[in-house]
Amino acid sequence: MTTTSRDADVQRALQALEDGRSPVRLRAAMAVGSTPDPAFVGKLVERCAVEPEFFVRDMLTWALTRHPVPLTLPRLLRELHSERPQARSQALHTLSKIGDRRAWPAITRALLSDADDEVARSAWRTAVVLVPEGEEAGLARVLATQLGRGDRAVQLSLSQALAGLGEVIVPVLRAAAAAGEPDVRAHALATRRLLEDPEAGFESVLEEAKRIVALTGAPKGGG
């Protein structure tokens, strides 16, 4: 293939990534991932920030993982500072799939407590993938500050992230279950149960935890 024809193929692929039809964008992302080229990286990252369809976003992430990390990592790290929540969330998701721990310093407390639930959920999952050995306890303490946050889906994501850190979370959960607001205490108890029994249904263990909290009342010193 000549340079001219390759350039033409690249331009067609880049244009297809912006097509108004989602099946066309999906096929384009698949094609781009199948034939990686440095010229694609910028557009793939840009599309992740604005692509409305979940399956297309997932294919964009896959396409990025097919490109060399030295090309993708700097662009994705810049996206973590974007004002657009989807840009931050999708960049985090892609970083979790790449799995390069050089990205770990960029997973800040601000991202782990981001006001946007989808960004925070992506940050939790990514942090568990990237956390260096020996820093799990510190991460657990930061994640525990988010206990009680959001709806059931958000709480399940946090519980799964914490459980992914293993036994190191037990002291943190014990402290959260002994003090704080009822929602925090219940979420801590439910997370401990999930750690012990990963097959337990989150809905049922959370309801059970809420009953326990209601029966035991406020913690000592809680007023």
Side-chain angles (χ1 to χ4, degrees):
M1 182 182 294
T2 66
T3 300
T4 302
S5 61
R6 175 58 181 167
D7 289 346
D9 287 343
V10 167
Q11 287 306 311
R12 280 193 293 270
L14 292 174
Q15 291 171 1
L17 288 171
E18 297 184 327
D19 194 275
R21 297 160 294 180
S22 59
V24 174
R25 300 196 303 276
L26 182 65
R27 288 194 296 271
M30 186 181 301
V32 164
S34 299
T35 56
D37 188 295
F40 292 139
V41 172
K43 179 59 68 178
L44 288 169
V45 173
E46 290 174 12
R47 285 305 305 173
C48 281
V50 297
E51 171 56 50
E53 297 293 335
F54 169 80
F55 291 110
V56 180
R57 290 199 302 273
D58 220 36
M59 191 62 72
L60 291 169
T61 282
W62 172 78
L64 280 165
T65 67
R66 298 273 294 160
H67 288 76
V69 174
L71 295 179
T72 58
L73 189 59
R75 294 296 299 261
L76 292 168
L77 293 179
R78 285 199 291 273
E79 289 294 282
L80 300 183
H81 302 284
S82 172
E83 294 182 358
R84 190 187 296 270
Q86 183 174 306
R88 302 195 301 276
S89 176
Q90 198 65 24
L92 285 161
H93 175 65
T94 305
L95 288 169
S96 76
K97 296 300 182 182
I98 292 172
D100 192 306
R101 285 184 168 172
R102 286 175 293 181
W104 167 248
I107 312 304
T108 61
R109 182 183 287 263
L111 285 170
L112 293 168
S113 59
D114 197 284
D116 186 276
D117 285 342
E118 289 308 309
V119 175
R121 294 171 74 183
S122 293
W124 301 337
R125 290 189 290 264
T126 305
V128 172
V129 171
L130 299 181
V131 62
E133 185 176 354
E135 297 192 32
E136 295 90 349
L139 175 58
R141 288 192 292 271
V142 175
L143 293 182
T145 66
Q146 303 301 298
L147 286 166
R149 170 180 174 163
D151 60 18
R152 297 296 172 86
V154 173
Q155 293 186 10
L156 173 59
S157 290
L158 181 60
S159 292
Q160 290 173 329
L162 281 163
L165 295 174
E167 292 295 323
V168 71
I169 70 172
V170 172
V172 174
L173 295 179
R174 186 182 298 122
E181 296 297 320
D183 285 348
V184 172
R185 296 168 61 205
H187 195 183
L189 289 171
T191 303
R192 177 68 181 272
R193 176 67 188 281
L194 277 189
L195 177 65
E196 297 168 347
D197 181 9
E199 300 301 318
F202 184 71
E203 188 79 20
S204 61
V205 298
L206 184 59
E207 288 304 317
E208 179 184 359
K210 287 183 175 182
R211 287 193 294 271
I212 292 171
V213 169
L215 289 171
T216 57
K220 292 181 180 179

